[in-house]
Amino acid sequence: MAGCRMIGARAFVLLLCWCCFLGWIAQAKGQAAEPPETVDMHQHHHSHQMNIPSGASERCEAKFAYQPGTLGPEHWGQVCSSGQMQSPVDITRAKTMPIPPLAPLEFHYQPAELDMVNDCNHHLVKVRFPDNLWLKVARKPYRLSEIDFHEPGENAIKGKRPAMSLQFVHLSPEATFLIVEVPVVEGKENPLIGTLWKHIPVGGKEQVTSNIKINAMDLLPADHGFYTFRGSLTNPICNEGVAWFVLKHPIEMSASQIAQYRQYYHDTARPLQPLRQRPVLESP
């Protein structure tokens, strides 16, 4: 009898954690977190979809920096300094929850023409994607807007950051953010990364190579296990209400590929922010 009561209590705790998780997702939807600047409407296949500005610019005049100084993180204003749920974080604890009730990441990425931006004002290289609804989480569709590269990776696991990370930035129809971060470790050469690096444009420019098709599925690990928590964008204006999913398993890049990216941008990870009492859920 005591054993039954213990099993029931554990089930109740798992259900309570899942309800909390659904609660902050719903709150995030209501906030409609703003992108780094503004979002613009595209009228292609899905008129309701919004997208992040490309980052292409006539001038490279960044208004923030990752290194200490007058533009450094210690001087980022607005929500960056006042927010209570900022990212990135160091994941030192997590509550494991089975799938279901924890909703899986349902990736349905498709081939698309290669579209790359050297976003000098945000200190990163990005890959952009056309209108789509390629990700579903708890039956809700999301548009894959872009993949941003960071060196090193931003979120840490028990104090350790990966050599690099890819951040798959998604938008819901209500313009709320969902970011999937894929850690990168040094290993074998990555064929798709080799293709991407050959087509990085000069600073501030966007380059579309219509005769080359890429599939973002090729930049995901085979195992899609994750940690998930509520956070923020990691550069100004650092708006909160972002659903973060940090994959537990990395992809590989060769040492030379990591070094090649560092020739464009390096040390582009925001300092770790306090996790405080935010719940962190972990898939099995």
Side-chain angles (χ1 to χ4, degrees), residues 161-206:
R161 278 175 151 161
M164 285 185 66
S165 74
L166 284 62
Q167 293 181 6
F168 292 62
V169 183
H170 303 80
L171 282 171
S172 74
E174 298 80 21
T176 58
F177 282 84
L178 184 153
I179 301 177
V180 177
E181 185 171 42
V182 178
V184 174
V185 296
E186 183 179 320
K188 61 185 179 182
E189 186 169 306
N190 188 305
L192 180 50
I193 292 296
T195 299
L196 299 182
W197 282 188
K198 291 176 183 177
H199 293 86
I200 298 176
V202 298
K205 301 303 179 184
E206 180 174 10

mmCIF file of all heavy atoms in Angstrom, residues 161-206:
data_model
loop_
_atom_site.group_PDB
_atom_site.id
_atom_site.type_symbol
_atom_site.label_atom_id
_atom_site.label_comp_id
_atom_site.label_asym_id
_atom_site.label_seq_id
_atom_site.Cartn_x
_atom_site.Cartn_y
_atom_site.Cartn_z
ATOM 1 N N ARG A 161 31.102 24.781 -21.658
ATOM 2 C CA ARG A 161 30.518 25.204 -22.918
ATOM 3 C C ARG A 161 31.155 24.409 -24.060
ATOM 4 O O ARG A 161 32.352 24.097 -24.015
ATOM 5 C CB ARG A 161 30.775 26.691 -23.155
ATOM 6 C CG ARG A 161 29.809 27.603 -22.436
ATOM 7 C CD ARG A 161 30.168 29.055 -22.608
ATOM 8 N NE ARG A 161 28.990 29.912 -22.535
ATOM 9 C CZ ARG A 161 29.031 31.211 -22.292
ATOM 10 N NH1 ARG A 161 30.193 31.822 -22.111
ATOM 11 N NH2 ARG A 161 27.906 31.919 -22.254
ATOM 12 N N PRO A 162 30.376 24.105 -25.118
ATOM 13 C CA PRO A 162 30.960 23.410 -26.273
ATOM 14 C C PRO A 162 31.827 24.346 -27.099
ATOM 15 O O PRO A 162 31.740 25.582 -26.974
ATOM 16 C CB PRO A 162 29.732 22.951 -27.058
ATOM 17 C CG PRO A 162 28.677 23.951 -26.705
ATOM 18 C CD PRO A 162 28.931 24.333 -25.281
ATOM 19 N N ALA A 163 32.639 23.767 -27.971
ATOM 20 C CA ALA A 163 33.545 24.565 -28.799
ATOM 21 C C ALA A 163 32.786 25.570 -29.656
ATOM 22 O O ALA A 163 33.217 26.716 -29.847
ATOM 23 C CB ALA A 163 34.377 23.644 -29.695
ATOM 24 N N MET A 164 31.655 25.163 -30.205
ATOM 25 C CA MET A 164 30.768 26.030 -30.965
ATOM 26 C C MET A 164 29.336 25.555 -30.720
ATOM 27 O O MET A 164 29.119 24.517 -30.088
ATOM 28 C CB MET A 164 31.067 25.978 -32.478
ATOM 29 C CG MET A 164 32.298 26.708 -32.925
ATOM 30 S SD MET A 164 32.473 26.718 -34.758
ATOM 31 C CE MET A 164 31.038 27.718 -35.241
ATOM 32 N N SER A 165 28.383 26.308 -31.242
ATOM 33 C CA SER A 165 27.003 25.818 -31.267
ATOM 34 C C SER A 165 26.278 26.405 -32.463
ATOM 35 O O SER A 165 26.672 27.454 -33.005
ATOM 36 C CB SER A 165 26.246 26.157 -29.979
ATOM 37 O OG SER A 165 25.909 27.525 -29.928
ATOM 38 N N LEU A 166 25.242 25.682 -32.872
ATOM 39 C CA LEU A 166 24.318 26.164 -33.900
ATOM 40 C C LEU A 166 22.998 26.441 -33.199
ATOM 41 O O LEU A 166 22.492 25.587 -32.461
ATOM 42 C CB LEU A 166 24.097 25.115 -34.988
ATOM 43 C CG LEU A 166 25.181 24.888 -36.044
ATOM 44 C CD1 LEU A 166 26.491 24.417 -35.440
ATOM 45 C CD2 LEU A 166 24.677 23.886 -37.079
ATOM 46 N N GLN A 167 22.456 27.615 -33.405
ATOM 47 C CA GLN A 167 21.171 27.966 -32.819
ATOM 48 C C GLN A 167 20.127 28.042 -33.926
ATOM 49 O O GLN A 167 20.175 28.914 -34.781
ATOM 50 C CB GLN A 167 21.269 29.276 -32.044
ATOM 51 C CG GLN A 167 22.150 29.153 -30.806
ATOM 52 C CD GLN A 167 22.260 30.422 -29.998
ATOM 53 O OE1 GLN A 167 21.588 31.415 -30.275
ATOM 54 N NE2 GLN A 167 23.110 30.412 -28.987
ATOM 55 N N PHE A 168 19.191 27.087 -33.896
ATOM 56 C CA PHE A 168 18.105 27.021 -34.856
ATOM 57 C C PHE A 168 16.990 27.926 -34.330
ATOM 58 O O PHE A 168 16.305 27.567 -33.364
ATOM 59 C CB PHE A 168 17.607 25.584 -35.003
ATOM 60 C CG PHE A 168 18.595 24.636 -35.651
ATOM 61 C CD1 PHE A 168 19.828 24.353 -35.076
ATOM 62 C CD2 PHE A 168 18.268 24.002 -36.852
ATOM 63 C CE1 PHE A 168 20.720 23.474 -35.673
ATOM 64 C CE2 PHE A 168 19.153 23.110 -37.455
ATOM 65 C CZ PHE A 168 20.383 22.867 -36.881
ATOM 66 N N VAL A 169 16.829 29.071 -34.934
ATOM 67 C CA VAL A 169 15.899 30.085 -34.440
ATOM 68 C C VAL A 169 14.554 29.922 -35.144
ATOM 69 O O VAL A 169 14.467 30.042 -36.369
ATOM 70 C CB VAL A 169 16.449 31.507 -34.669
ATOM 71 C CG1 VAL A 169 15.497 32.548 -34.094
ATOM 72 C CG2 VAL A 169 17.839 31.646 -34.039
ATOM 73 N N HIS A 170 13.508 29.654 -34.351
ATOM 74 C CA HIS A 170 12.169 29.433 -34.878
ATOM 75 C C HIS A 170 11.224 30.520 -34.388
ATOM 76 O O HIS A 170 11.396 31.061 -33.288
ATOM 77 C CB HIS A 170 11.616 28.081 -34.436
ATOM 78 C CG HIS A 170 12.459 26.912 -34.823
ATOM 79 N ND1 HIS A 170 13.584 26.540 -34.111
ATOM 80 C CD2 HIS A 170 12.341 26.018 -35.852
ATOM 81 C CE1 HIS A 170 14.117 25.458 -34.679
ATOM 82 N NE2 HIS A 170 13.385 25.134 -35.722
ATOM 83 N N LEU A 171 10.204 30.796 -35.189
ATOM 84 C CA LEU A 171 9.146 31.730 -34.820
ATOM 85 C C LEU A 171 7.792 31.051 -34.949
ATOM 86 O O LEU A 171 7.552 30.323 -35.917
ATOM 87 C CB LEU A 171 9.165 32.959 -35.727
ATOM 88 C CG LEU A 171 10.213 34.035 -35.461
ATOM 89 C CD1 LEU A 171 10.219 35.050 -36.597
ATOM 90 C CD2 LEU A 171 9.959 34.726 -34.139
ATOM 91 N N SER A 172 6.925 31.290 -33.978
ATOM 92 C CA SER A 172 5.547 30.817 -34.079
ATOM 93 C C SER A 172 4.741 31.809 -34.911
ATOM 94 O O SER A 172 5.200 32.930 -35.172
ATOM 95 C CB SER A 172 4.930 30.709 -32.679
ATOM 96 O OG SER A 172 4.636 32.011 -32.183
ATOM 97 N N PRO A 173 3.537 31.450 -35.341
ATOM 98 C CA PRO A 173 2.693 32.412 -36.054
ATOM 99 C C PRO A 173 2.415 33.675 -35.246
ATOM 100 O O PRO A 173 2.131 34.721 -35.819
ATOM 101 C CB PRO A 173 1.404 31.623 -36.318
ATOM 102 C CG PRO A 173 1.862 30.194 -36.388
ATOM 103 C CD PRO A 173 2.942 30.093 -35.350
ATOM 104 N N GLU A 174 2.528 33.584 -33.905
ATOM 105 C CA GLU A 174 2.327 34.766 -33.061
ATOM 106 C C GLU A 174 3.621 35.523 -32.812
ATOM 107 O O GLU A 174 3.652 36.471 -32.029
ATOM 108 C CB GLU A 174 1.728 34.357 -31.706
ATOM 109 C CG GLU A 174 0.363 33.705 -31.786
ATOM 110 C CD GLU A 174 0.423 32.229 -32.173
ATOM 111 O OE1 GLU A 174 1.482 31.606 -31.998
ATOM 112 O OE2 GLU A 174 -0.598 31.710 -32.679
ATOM 113 N N ALA A 175 4.708 35.100 -33.483
ATOM 114 C CA ALA A 175 6.023 35.756 -33.383
ATOM 115 C C ALA A 175 6.687 35.549 -32.031
ATOM 116 O O ALA A 175 7.457 36.391 -31.572
ATOM 117 C CB ALA A 175 5.925 37.248 -33.704
ATOM 118 N N THR A 176 6.416 34.410 -31.367
ATOM 119 C CA THR A 176 7.197 34.031 -30.197
ATOM 120 C C THR A 176 8.349 33.148 -30.650
ATOM 121 O O THR A 176 8.257 32.446 -31.653
ATOM 122 C CB THR A 176 6.339 33.290 -29.158
ATOM 123 O OG1 THR A 176 5.765 32.122 -29.756
ATOM 124 C CG2 THR A 176 5.234 34.188 -28.636
ATOM 125 N N PHE A 177 9.432 33.181 -29.896
ATOM 126 C CA PHE A 177 10.656 32.490 -30.277
ATOM 127 C C PHE A 177 10.781 31.122 -29.626
ATOM 128 O O PHE A 177 10.452 30.946 -28.446
ATOM 129 C CB PHE A 177 11.879 33.322 -29.867
ATOM 130 C CG PHE A 177 12.173 34.474 -30.781
ATOM 131 C CD1 PHE A 177 11.513 35.682 -30.622
ATOM 132 C CD2 PHE A 177 13.106 34.364 -31.799
ATOM 133 C CE1 PHE A 177 11.771 36.758 -31.449
ATOM 134 C CE2 PHE A 177 13.375 35.430 -32.639
ATOM 135 C CZ PHE A 177 12.703 36.638 -32.466
ATOM 136 N N LEU A 178 11.305 30.179 -30.397
ATOM 137 C CA LEU A 178 11.727 28.873 -29.897
ATOM 138 C C LEU A 178 13.090 28.605 -30.518
ATOM 139 O O LEU A 178 13.229 28.611 -31.744
ATOM 140 C CB LEU A 178 10.735 27.784 -30.272
ATOM 141 C CG LEU A 178 11.015 26.375 -29.720
ATOM 142 C CD1 LEU A 178 9.707 25.586 -29.576
ATOM 143 C CD2 LEU A 178 11.987 25.581 -30.589
ATOM 144 N N ILE A 179 14.095 28.409 -29.676
ATOM 145 C CA ILE A 179 15.466 28.226 -30.161
ATOM 146 C C ILE A 179 15.972 26.850 -29.760
ATOM 147 O O ILE A 179 15.917 26.474 -28.582
ATOM 148 C CB ILE A 179 16.411 29.312 -29.614
ATOM 149 C CG1 ILE A 179 15.918 30.704 -30.040
ATOM 150 C CG2 ILE A 179 17.836 29.076 -30.114
ATOM 151 C CD1 ILE A 179 16.746 31.851 -29.478
ATOM 152 N N VAL A 180 16.449 26.109 -30.737
ATOM 153 C CA VAL A 180 17.085 24.810 -30.506
ATOM 154 C C VAL A 180 18.587 25.009 -30.656
ATOM 155 O O VAL A 180 19.062 25.385 -31.729
ATOM 156 C CB VAL A 180 16.588 23.743 -31.496
ATOM 157 C CG1 VAL A 180 17.320 22.420 -31.266
ATOM 158 C CG2 VAL A 180 15.076 23.550 -31.376
ATOM 159 N N GLU A 181 19.331 24.772 -29.581
ATOM 160 C CA GLU A 181 20.791 24.919 -29.653
ATOM 161 C C GLU A 181 21.439 23.544 -29.775
ATOM 162 O O GLU A 181 21.189 22.656 -28.960
ATOM 163 C CB GLU A 181 21.347 25.649 -28.431
ATOM 164 C CG GLU A 181 22.845 25.901 -28.559
ATOM 165 C CD GLU A 181 23.412 26.815 -27.490
ATOM 166 O OE1 GLU A 181 23.034 26.663 -26.308
ATOM 167 O OE2 GLU A 181 24.246 27.674 -27.827
ATOM 168 N N VAL A 182 22.275 23.402 -30.806
ATOM 169 C CA VAL A 182 22.982 22.149 -31.065
ATOM 170 C C VAL A 182 24.458 22.353 -30.739
ATOM 171 O O VAL A 182 25.128 23.179 -31.376
ATOM 172 C CB VAL A 182 22.833 21.717 -32.535
ATOM 173 C CG1 VAL A 182 23.621 20.433 -32.800
ATOM 174 C CG2 VAL A 182 21.361 21.516 -32.882
ATOM 175 N N PRO A 183 25.001 21.645 -29.749
ATOM 176 C CA PRO A 183 26.415 21.803 -29.420
ATOM 177 C C PRO A 183 27.317 21.177 -30.480
ATOM 178 O O PRO A 183 26.921 20.236 -31.180
ATOM 179 C CB PRO A 183 26.555 21.081 -28.076
ATOM 180 C CG PRO A 183 25.442 20.079 -28.066
ATOM 181 C CD PRO A 183 24.317 20.696 -28.858
ATOM 182 N N VAL A 184 28.512 21.715 -30.596
ATOM 183 C CA VAL A 184 29.504 21.228 -31.553
ATOM 184 C C VAL A 184 30.756 20.813 -30.795
ATOM 185 O O VAL A 184 31.240 21.551 -29.924
ATOM 186 C CB VAL A 184 29.885 22.323 -32.576
ATOM 187 C CG1 VAL A 184 31.030 21.863 -33.472
ATOM 188 C CG2 VAL A 184 28.668 22.709 -33.415
ATOM 189 N N VAL A 185 31.265 19.625 -31.111
ATOM 190 C CA VAL A 185 32.537 19.181 -30.553
ATOM 191 C C VAL A 185 33.528 18.951 -31.692
ATOM 192 O O VAL A 185 33.141 18.733 -32.838
ATOM 193 C CB VAL A 185 32.380 17.882 -29.733
ATOM 194 C CG1 VAL A 185 31.493 18.119 -28.526
ATOM 195 C CG2 VAL A 185 31.825 16.761 -30.596
ATOM 196 N N GLU A 186 34.797 19.044 -31.353
ATOM 197 C CA GLU A 186 35.844 18.807 -32.356
ATOM 198 C C GLU A 186 35.903 17.326 -32.689
ATOM 199 O O GLU A 186 35.904 16.479 -31.796
ATOM 200 C CB GLU A 186 37.185 19.288 -31.829
ATOM 201 C CG GLU A 186 38.320 19.154 -32.823
ATOM 202 C CD GLU A 186 39.634 19.662 -32.279
ATOM 203 O OE1 GLU A 186 39.634 20.712 -31.582
ATOM 204 O OE2 GLU A 186 40.671 19.003 -32.530
ATOM 205 N N GLY A 187 35.920 17.010 -33.964
ATOM 206 C CA GLY A 187 35.949 15.623 -34.401
ATOM 207 C C GLY A 187 36.213 15.532 -35.882
ATOM 208 O O GLY A 187 37.094 16.218 -36.405
ATOM 209 N N LYS A 188 35.395 14.736 -36.564
ATOM 210 C CA LYS A 188 35.607 14.563 -37.988
ATOM 211 C C LYS A 188 35.029 15.730 -38.782
ATOM 212 O O LYS A 188 34.177 16.481 -38.305
ATOM 213 C CB LYS A 188 34.975 13.246 -38.456
ATOM 214 C CG LYS A 188 33.477 13.153 -38.247
ATOM 215 C CD LYS A 188 32.960 11.774 -38.628
ATOM 216 C CE LYS A 188 31.457 11.669 -38.398
ATOM 217 N NZ LYS A 188 30.939 10.315 -38.709
ATOM 218 N N GLU A 189 35.490 15.852 -40.008
ATOM 219 C CA GLU A 189 35.025 16.941 -40.865
ATOM 220 C C GLU A 189 33.546 16.763 -41.183
ATOM 221 O O GLU A 189 33.055 15.664 -41.419
ATOM 222 C CB GLU A 189 35.843 16.966 -42.151
ATOM 223 C CG GLU A 189 35.537 18.151 -43.047
ATOM 224 C CD GLU A 189 36.543 18.295 -44.174
ATOM 225 O OE1 GLU A 189 37.756 18.356 -43.880
ATOM 226 O OE2 GLU A 189 36.108 18.332 -45.337
ATOM 227 N N ASN A 190 32.827 17.877 -41.179
ATOM 228 C CA ASN A 190 31.400 17.881 -41.454
ATOM 229 C C ASN A 190 31.176 18.336 -42.894
ATOM 230 O O ASN A 190 31.470 19.482 -43.234
ATOM 231 C CB ASN A 190 30.686 18.830 -40.480
ATOM 232 C CG ASN A 190 29.184 18.752 -40.572
ATOM 233 O OD1 ASN A 190 28.609 18.921 -41.636
ATOM 234 N ND2 ASN A 190 28.537 18.510 -39.439
ATOM 235 N N PRO A 191 30.668 17.461 -43.765
ATOM 236 C CA PRO A 191 30.545 17.817 -45.189
ATOM 237 C C PRO A 191 29.675 19.047 -45.441
ATOM 238 O O PRO A 191 30.029 19.905 -46.255
ATOM 239 C CB PRO A 191 29.918 16.557 -45.813
ATOM 240 C CG PRO A 191 30.251 15.449 -44.868
ATOM 241 C CD PRO A 191 30.252 16.069 -43.505
ATOM 242 N N LEU A 192 28.535 19.151 -44.763
ATOM 243 C CA LEU A 192 27.659 20.294 -45.004
ATOM 244 C C LEU A 192 28.303 21.583 -44.518
ATOM 245 O O LEU A 192 28.206 22.627 -45.188
ATOM 246 C CB LEU A 192 26.306 20.085 -44.334
ATOM 247 C CG LEU A 192 25.287 21.219 -44.514
ATOM 248 C CD1 LEU A 192 25.153 21.632 -45.976
ATOM 249 C CD2 LEU A 192 23.936 20.825 -43.937
ATOM 250 N N ILE A 193 28.969 21.533 -43.386
ATOM 251 C CA ILE A 193 29.675 22.727 -42.906
ATOM 252 C C ILE A 193 30.735 23.155 -43.916
ATOM 253 O O ILE A 193 30.930 24.354 -44.178
ATOM 254 C CB ILE A 193 30.315 22.465 -41.529
ATOM 255 C CG1 ILE A 193 29.234 22.304 -40.460
ATOM 256 C CG2 ILE A 193 31.282 23.581 -41.155
ATOM 257 C CD1 ILE A 193 28.385 23.532 -40.223
ATOM 258 N N GLY A 194 31.412 22.168 -44.525
ATOM 259 C CA GLY A 194 32.395 22.502 -45.562
ATOM 260 C C GLY A 194 31.770 23.284 -46.697
ATOM 261 O O GLY A 194 32.359 24.255 -47.209
ATOM 262 N N THR A 195 30.555 22.904 -47.098
ATOM 263 C CA THR A 195 29.842 23.639 -48.154
ATOM 264 C C THR A 195 29.486 25.042 -47.692
ATOM 265 O O THR A 195 29.675 26.027 -48.424
ATOM 266 C CB THR A 195 28.567 22.881 -48.556
ATOM 267 O OG1 THR A 195 28.929 21.595 -49.074
ATOM 268 C CG2 THR A 195 27.775 23.648 -49.603
ATOM 269 N N LEU A 196 28.972 25.158 -46.471
ATOM 270 C CA LEU A 196 28.580 26.472 -45.959
ATOM 271 C C LEU A 196 29.760 27.429 -45.894
ATOM 272 O O LEU A 196 29.662 28.592 -46.307
ATOM 273 C CB LEU A 196 27.940 26.332 -44.573
ATOM 274 C CG LEU A 196 26.673 25.498 -44.458
ATOM 275 C CD1 LEU A 196 26.151 25.522 -43.027
ATOM 276 C CD2 LEU A 196 25.605 25.980 -45.419
ATOM 277 N N TRP A 197 30.880 26.956 -45.379
ATOM 278 C CA TRP A 197 32.040 27.838 -45.201
ATOM 279 C C TRP A 197 32.562 28.374 -46.538
ATOM 280 O O TRP A 197 33.139 29.448 -46.590
ATOM 281 C CB TRP A 197 33.151 27.117 -44.469
ATOM 282 C CG TRP A 197 33.058 26.943 -42.984
ATOM 283 C CD1 TRP A 197 34.058 26.442 -42.190
ATOM 284 C CD2 TRP A 197 31.974 27.242 -42.079
ATOM 285 N NE1 TRP A 197 33.659 26.403 -40.869
ATOM 286 C CE2 TRP A 197 32.380 26.895 -40.772
ATOM 287 C CE3 TRP A 197 30.696 27.759 -42.248
ATOM 288 C CZ2 TRP A 197 31.566 27.061 -39.644
ATOM 289 C CZ3 TRP A 197 29.866 27.915 -41.129
ATOM 290 C CH2 TRP A 197 30.305 27.583 -39.870
ATOM 291 N N LYS A 198 32.340 27.628 -47.606
ATOM 292 C CA LYS A 198 32.807 28.085 -48.921
ATOM 293 C C LYS A 198 31.953 29.222 -49.480
ATOM 294 O O LYS A 198 32.333 29.861 -50.468
ATOM 295 C CB LYS A 198 32.781 26.916 -49.919
ATOM 296 C CG LYS A 198 33.824 25.842 -49.642
ATOM 297 C CD LYS A 198 33.661 24.681 -50.616
ATOM 298 C CE LYS A 198 34.646 23.562 -50.315
ATOM 299 N NZ LYS A 198 34.450 22.384 -51.228
ATOM 300 N N HIS A 199 30.789 29.467 -48.858
ATOM 301 C CA HIS A 199 29.863 30.447 -49.406
ATOM 302 C C HIS A 199 29.547 31.571 -48.420
ATOM 303 O O HIS A 199 28.514 32.235 -48.548
ATOM 304 C CB HIS A 199 28.574 29.758 -49.867
ATOM 305 C CG HIS A 199 28.775 28.849 -51.041
ATOM 306 N ND1 HIS A 199 29.172 27.533 -50.899
ATOM 307 C CD2 HIS A 199 28.660 29.070 -52.376
ATOM 308 C CE1 HIS A 199 29.286 26.984 -52.102
ATOM 309 N NE2 HIS A 199 28.978 27.891 -53.001
ATOM 310 N N ILE A 200 30.426 31.801 -47.456
ATOM 311 C CA ILE A 200 30.229 32.927 -46.545
ATOM 312 C C ILE A 200 30.527 34.224 -47.293
ATOM 313 O O ILE A 200 31.639 34.406 -47.813
ATOM 314 C CB ILE A 200 31.130 32.813 -45.304
ATOM 315 C CG1 ILE A 200 30.786 31.546 -44.509
ATOM 316 C CG2 ILE A 200 30.980 34.052 -44.416
ATOM 317 C CD1 ILE A 200 31.691 31.292 -43.315
ATOM 318 N N PRO A 201 29.578 35.141 -47.374
ATOM 319 C CA PRO A 201 29.832 36.404 -48.087
ATOM 320 C C PRO A 201 30.678 37.355 -47.251
ATOM 321 O O PRO A 201 30.989 37.076 -46.087
ATOM 322 C CB PRO A 201 28.427 36.963 -48.316
ATOM 323 C CG PRO A 201 27.620 36.392 -47.195
ATOM 324 C CD PRO A 201 28.208 35.034 -46.886
ATOM 325 N N VAL A 202 31.043 38.475 -47.831
ATOM 326 C CA VAL A 202 31.792 39.487 -47.098
ATOM 327 C C VAL A 202 30.889 40.118 -46.051
ATOM 328 O O VAL A 202 29.654 39.984 -46.095
ATOM 329 C CB VAL A 202 32.349 40.566 -48.048
ATOM 330 C CG1 VAL A 202 33.320 39.947 -49.041
ATOM 331 C CG2 VAL A 202 31.218 41.278 -48.778
ATOM 332 N N GLY A 203 31.483 40.815 -45.097
ATOM 333 C CA GLY A 203 30.734 41.388 -43.996
ATOM 334 C C GLY A 203 29.579 42.275 -44.439
ATOM 335 O O GLY A 203 29.746 43.141 -45.297
ATOM 336 N N GLY A 204 28.425 42.022 -43.855
ATOM 337 C CA GLY A 204 27.251 42.823 -44.144
ATOM 338 C C GLY A 204 26.435 42.366 -45.339
ATOM 339 O O GLY A 204 25.375 42.941 -45.606
ATOM 340 N N LYS A 205 26.868 41.341 -46.035
ATOM 341 C CA LYS A 205 26.206 40.930 -47.276
ATOM 342 C C LYS A 205 25.458 39.606 -47.122
ATOM 343 O O LYS A 205 25.794 38.767 -46.294
ATOM 344 C CB LYS A 205 27.224 40.812 -48.416
ATOM 345 C CG LYS A 205 27.970 42.109 -48.709
ATOM 346 C CD LYS A 205 27.015 43.250 -49.046
ATOM 347 C CE LYS A 205 27.765 44.550 -49.310
ATOM 348 N NZ LYS A 205 26.827 45.682 -49.554
ATOM 349 N N GLU A 206 24.456 39.456 -47.989
ATOM 350 C CA GLU A 206 23.688 38.218 -48.093
ATOM 351 C C GLU A 206 23.948 37.605 -49.457
ATOM 352 O O GLU A 206 24.010 38.323 -50.456
ATOM 353 C CB GLU A 206 22.196 38.488 -47.921
ATOM 354 C CG GLU A 206 21.318 37.231 -48.024
ATOM 355 C CD GLU A 206 19.860 37.512 -47.697
ATOM 356 O OE1 GLU A 206 19.491 38.698 -47.577
ATOM 357 O OE2 GLU A 206 19.097 36.543 -47.549
#
